[in-house]
């Protein structure tokens, strides 16, 4: 798991979580090679939809708030549906409150999950969430990257103009591996 630089001081924090466990944070030494403090719970476990498994927690700062973005699944196996989830708090050490409109983004038939540092701001100031996916329709397990535009409503991210499952998959730009 990668450390994260979260503020102008260049502080490093490590976030992690798993099924039925909290999401934790622990400060790291400035060299990023060792842990430098005690771990702290920043988001309690939840039985909400799409939170059966926690993967890839990462944090971005916007408008004075820290947003903890992570992924969860509703089930296991070939029918797994993943969602990009969001919680926010005033400090990188939490506690974080969950987005009341969970999930921010959800797949219907494609595995998807955010990558580390996956919030991208373009030259026009528009935010995008980058995540990877597996195309189940082709049956080959082809993996590719997708971008979804993020709008912000009351300091919560909203994907493609609405909360919940995105309905504009065919129009999203995708980046597929060569060949």
């Amino acid at each position: 798991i990668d450390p994260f630089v979260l503020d102008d001081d260049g502080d490093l924090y490590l976030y992690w979580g798993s099924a039925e466990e909290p999401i934790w944070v622990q400060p790291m030494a400035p060299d990023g090679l060792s842990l430098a403090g005690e771990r702290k719970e920043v988001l309690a476990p939840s039985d909400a939809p799409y939170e059966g498994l926690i993967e890839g927690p990462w944090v971005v700062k916007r408008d004075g708030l820290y947003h903890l973005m992570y992924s969860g699944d509703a089930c296991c196996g070939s029918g797994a549906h993943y969602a990009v989830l969001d919680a926010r708090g005033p400090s990188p050490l939490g506690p974080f409150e969950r987005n009341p409109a969970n999930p921010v983004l959800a797949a219907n038939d494609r595995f998807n999950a955010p990558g580390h540092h996956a919030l991208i701001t373009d030259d026009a100031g528009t935010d995008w969430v980058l995540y990877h996916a597996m195309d189940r329709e082709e049956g080959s397990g082809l993996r590719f990257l997708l971008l979804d535009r993020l709008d912000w409503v009351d300091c919560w991210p909203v994907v493609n103009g609405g909360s919940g499952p995105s309905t504009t998959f065919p129009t999203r730009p995708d980046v597929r591996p060569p060949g």
Side-chain angles (χ1 to χ4, degrees), residues 2-53:
D2 298 329
F4 300 85
V5 179
L6 288 178
D7 54 33
D8 295 336
D9 295 329
D11 292 335
L12 292 166
Y13 300 91
L14 184 70
Y15 294 84
W16 73 96
S18 60
E20 301 177 358
E21 294 290 332
I23 295 182
W24 302 91
V25 64
Q26 191 161 0
M28 297 191 73
D31 61 8
L33 300 177
S34 60
L35 296 171
E38 294 184 5
R39 72 176 185 171
K40 180 178 180 180
E41 179 181 321
V42 295
L43 192 66
S46 171
D47 58 1
Y50 294 97
E51 294 208 36
L53 175 68

Side-chain angles (χ1 to χ4, degrees), residues 121-176:
T121 303
D122 64 21
D123 292 340
T126 302
D127 289 327
W128 303 81
V129 60
L130 173 70
Y131 60 96
H132 62 268
M134 182 182 298
D135 194 332
R136 296 190 182 281
E137 291 180 353
E138 293 187 7
S140 63
L142 177 66
R143 298 186 180 199
F144 49 97
L145 298 176
L146 293 167
L147 288 170
D148 262 331
R149 189 188 75 250
L150 282 183
D151 297 321
W152 295 86
V153 178
D154 297 327
C155 291
W156 288 110
V158 176
V159 176
N160 283 338
S163 61
S166 175
T167 58
T168 59
F169 183 89
T171 63
R172 298 176 189 160
D174 64 50
V175 182
R176 295 173 185 260

Side-chain angles (χ1 to χ4, degrees), residues 112-126:
N112 70 84
H116 297 308
H117 303 287
L119 186 67
I120 300 168
T121 303
D122 64 21
D123 292 340
T126 302

Side-chain angles (χ1 to χ4, degrees), residues 18-95:
S18 60
E20 301 177 358
E21 294 290 332
I23 295 182
W24 302 91
V25 64
Q26 191 161 0
M28 297 191 73
D31 61 8
L33 300 177
S34 60
L35 296 171
E38 294 184 5
R39 72 176 185 171
K40 180 178 180 180
E41 179 181 321
V42 295
L43 192 66
S46 171
D47 58 1
Y50 294 97
E51 294 208 36
L53 175 68
I54 301 299
E55 288 189 350
W58 50 284
V59 173
V60 295
K61 186 177 182 182
R62 181 181 173 88
D63 298 329
L65 291 173
Y66 293 88
H67 286 264
L68 175 71
M69 295 190 179
Y70 56 102
S71 62
D73 75 348
C75 56
C76 297
S78 61
H81 295 179
Y82 275 70
V84 177
L85 307 175
D86 175 65
R88 71 182 184 190
S91 164
L93 298 176

